Amino acid sequence: MTKKALLSFLCVMVAGCDNATSLVSYTPEMASFSNEFDFDPLRGPVKDFSQTLMNDKGEVAKRVSGTLSQEGCFDTLELHDVENNTGLALVLDANFYRDAETLEKRVRLQGKCQLAELPSAGVVWDTDDNGFVVSAAGKEMNVQYRYDADGYPLGKTTVTKDNKLSVNSKPSADPLKKMDYTAVTLLNDRPVGNVKQTCEYDAHANPVNCQLIIVDESAKPAVERSYTIKNTIEYY
């Protein structure tokens, strides 16, 4: 066996050399946007993506899609909550995101493309030295965001005048399967829900298909709902 053939064989045996070269940390923009807008973060040179959440009847419940520049900035971001009939479509324009339909300035940015302010709600985001959004402050609320060493979002804690709502996520110990996670939601330090997700992955260690189970513990008895997430990802 030649050295080249041996190297190729070894790459296959260790689950692919592509995984090793494309296993990168989450960028501050990807991690922060996913934390704020509630979608699964992605690694690597993502060009465009979509994430579709379907209930156990196969009906679309939510859909998120976006396009990114080669520098990792979100050029566009669309969020559709079908269950609640709400949505938002943002388009990058200099240091603002505009509403794609009305062209109203919706989000002010800092640096090249990081969240800075939501003027209509009086919310201001703050970043750490690495560019990750770590806090947000509004007239009647404060939010603290958490990440692990790879930039994976570990959740956030929102404090208002009367309540403290915390979401705490624990990813798989396998660095190739970060989106296999469990999460617990606490309201005033009391559990009100939990989530478990397991996924299939591509060569960039990004989720392609996921199974999501959400348990609402605030209901008596607790209510369990099952979802499927279908992702499409194109890379540079």
Side-chain angles (χ1 to χ4, degrees), residues 200-228:
E200 299 173 358
Y201 295 83
D202 65 12
H204 291 264
N206 282 325
V208 178
N209 299 304
C210 300
Q211 300 299 316
L212 178 68
I213 298 176
I214 300 176
V215 178
D216 180 1
E217 297 181 34
S218 65
K220 302 298 179 184
V223 177
E224 180 177 300
R225 296 183 177 89
S226 298
Y227 296 90
T228 300

Side-chain angles (χ1 to χ4, degrees), residues 53-55 59-63 80-84 227:
L53 179 72
M54 294 177 288
N55 61 26
E59 300 167 335
V60 175
K62 294 181 181 180
R63 188 173 189 272
H80 298 282
D81 186 338
V82 178
E83 289 181 326
N84 296 302
Y227 296 90

Side-chain angles (χ1 to χ4, degrees), residues 87-159:
L88 178 66
L90 301 174
V91 178
L92 180 63
D93 180 17
N95 61 334
F96 280 92
Y97 281 109
R98 293 181 180 271
D99 186 292
E101 294 185 5
T102 67
L103 300 183
E104 175 189 357
K105 292 180 178 179
R106 299 294 296 271
V107 181
R108 184 174 66 83
L109 302 174
Q110 57 180 308
K112 295 178 79 172
C113 48
Q114 183 57 286
L115 301 170
E117 182 184 8
L118 188 62
S120 62
V123 174
V124 177
W125 289 285
D126 193 20
T127 57
D128 64 11
D129 292 340
N130 295 315
F132 289 82
V133 167
V134 291
S135 65
K139 185 177 181 180
E140 297 182 350
M141 68 90 182
N142 285 279
V143 186
Q144 299 293 322
Y145 303 83
R146 298 177 295 278
Y147 309 87
D148 70 5
D150 291 327
Y152 173 88
L154 294 174
K156 58 186 179 181
T157 298
T158 304
V159 178

